[in-house]
Amino acid sequence: MMLSMRLPTSSAALRRNSRRCITSLPSWATLDPTSLGSATTPHSVTNLVNGQWTTPAKSLIIPNPMDKDAPPVCTVPDTQPEELTPFIESMNRIPKSGVHNPLKNGERYLQFGEISRKAGAALSDPTIAEFFIQTIQKTVPKSHAQAAGEVKVTADFLNNFGGDNVRFLARSFGVPGDHYGQFSNGHRWPYGPVAIIAPFNF
């Protein structure tokens, strides 16, 4: 009851916040968040498989969370079981030892440390941060401050995770053996193909 009583004020505030201007879109952007929920043709989210963007046979329509009479925000893939073959084939090409094997692919820890650093720096850029803030607002009914908090905490995590923190994911362990000079050690890393279920709004 309390939530429903506050919705009108909250909705008005959200609409005011969503009118903040983006001075320029990032060069890599494939959409303009200010057009989401207002363009007659909704933005189409596609699948990424084998390094290629693919369009599924079916899609789900994501309605405008702030105005049920407005155009949809976007469509997202509703990938069917018969369309999973390319995904399965892609996963089967991953070696059992994994692509992040510290014994075979140690350079990837340095590479992903740098990726994390650059991603954190990008999200700390006001223009890029505003792009994601407005994109979040168009898909979930959050205020500008709430959406900005999500972007900031992600940027902070990536800034902290850059550098050597990535290699610490494969921190090794050692176990003493039965006699002098005998020991065993091991590393932990993603083994074989790995799937990630990302949070709903990231």
Side-chain angles (χ1 to χ4, degrees), residues 49-111:
V49 57
N50 292 322
Q52 301 293 324
W53 296 104
T54 61
T55 302
K58 294 183 179 181
S59 297
L60 298 174
I61 296 175
I62 305 301
N64 190 315
M66 299 310 303
D67 186 352
K68 66 183 179 63
D69 296 321
V73 171
C74 63
T75 62
V76 297
D78 184 17
T79 308
Q80 300 299 302
E82 59 271 17
E83 298 177 282
L84 295 179
T85 299
F87 297 90
I88 296 172
E89 291 176 346
S90 177
M91 295 185 74
N92 285 337
R93 283 195 288 272
I94 303 297
K96 287 186 177 181
S97 58
V99 295
H100 300 287
N101 187 320
L103 305 178
K104 295 181 178 180
N105 310 104
E107 72 283 352
R108 292 181 72 83
Y109 291 89
L110 182 62
Q111 177 187 13

Side-chain angles (χ1 to χ4, degrees), residues 10-59:
S10 177
S11 298
L14 284 172
R15 277 192 286 270
R16 287 196 301 272
N17 284 327
S18 67
R19 288 196 289 268
R20 292 173 185 253
C21 295
I22 298 178
T23 55
S24 62
L25 289 174
S27 59
W28 40 259
T30 58
L31 63 88
D32 181 352
T34 59
S35 69
L36 295 177
S38 59
T40 53
T41 302
H43 177 74
S44 177
V45 179
T46 54
N47 285 326
L48 178 64
V49 57
N50 292 322
Q52 301 293 324
W53 296 104
T54 61
T55 302
K58 294 183 179 181
S59 297

